[in-house]
């Protein structure tokens, strides 16, 4: 069973940093890309980053590019999201999911229809 557990959220001041972790289990880590999305109540889920375990390529939304960095520790089956220069608009619940590693879903951050979202982690940025 594919399982992903996000952690590392918290309350941080504007301009601060956080590092989120996504621990994966139940599947061969290299068989999927790992994507991060976020959701604010009343709004659609937004894909923010994706790590391609196939070629170590990374992809970001325009809203986080230059501030967030996605990385992987394959020995730990874990993907990280380093978030710097946080803004109030980054406040959301952050989720990670296993994404089909071939095709365009990871590069385009198209996570629609995925059902293996783990429990999210709340990030709150105070102004």
């Amino acid at each position: 069973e594919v399982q992903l557990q996000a952690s590392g959220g918290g309350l941080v001041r504007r301009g601060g940093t956080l590092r989120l972790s996504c621990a994966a289990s139940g599947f061969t880590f290299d068989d999927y890309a790992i994507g991060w999305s976020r959701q604010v109540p009343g709004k659609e889920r937004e894909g923010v980053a994706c790590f391609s375990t196939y070629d170590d390529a990374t992809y970001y939304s325009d809203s986080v590019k230059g501030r967030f960095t996605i990385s992987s520790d394959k020995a730990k089956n874990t993907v990280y999201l380093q978030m710097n220069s946080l803004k109030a608009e980054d406040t959301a619940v952050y989720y990670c999911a296993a994404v089909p590693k071939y095709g365009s879903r990871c590069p385009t951050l198209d996570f629609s229809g995925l059902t293996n979202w783990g429990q999210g982690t709340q990030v709150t940025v105070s102004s």
Side-chain angles (χ1 to χ4, degrees):
E1 179 185 4
V2 173
Q3 290 190 334
L4 297 111
Q5 179 64 51
S7 62
L11 174 63
V12 64
R13 287 189 173 184
R14 182 181 56 189
T17 65
L18 278 174
R19 188 177 80 156
L20 305 184
S21 299
C22 174
S25 62
F27 62 97
T28 301
F29 194 65
D30 285 349
D31 284 350
Y32 289 88
I34 301 295
W36 282 96
S37 71
R38 63 188 182 188
Q39 190 164 26
V40 175
K43 294 189 177 181
E44 290 188 1
R45 190 189 299 264
E46 174 194 10
V48 297
C50 191
F51 184 92
S52 172
T53 56
Y54 173 67
D55 57 6
D56 290 353
T58 58
Y59 305 94
Y60 302 94
S61 66
D62 288 342
S63 61
V64 308
K65 194 174 296 182
R67 300 187 297 120
F68 290 12
T69 302
I70 190 170
S71 63
S72 169
D73 184 337
K74 295 184 180 181
K76 295 182 178 180
N77 282 6
T78 299
V79 170
Y80 303 99
L81 187 67
Q82 177 69 42
M83 305 188 297
N84 299 332
S85 302
L86 283 163
K87 305 176 180 179
E89 51 264 44
D90 295 319
T91 295
V93 179
Y94 284 72
Y95 302 88
C96 57
V99 180
K101 71 175 184 179
Y102 298 119
S104 64
R105 290 172 72 91
C106 186
T108 61
L109 304 180
D110 176 14
F111 304 149
S112 59
L114 295 179
T115 59
N116 56 40
W117 298 104
Q119 184 174 356
T121 185
Q122 175 71 48
V123 172
T124 303
V125 183
S126 63
S127 57

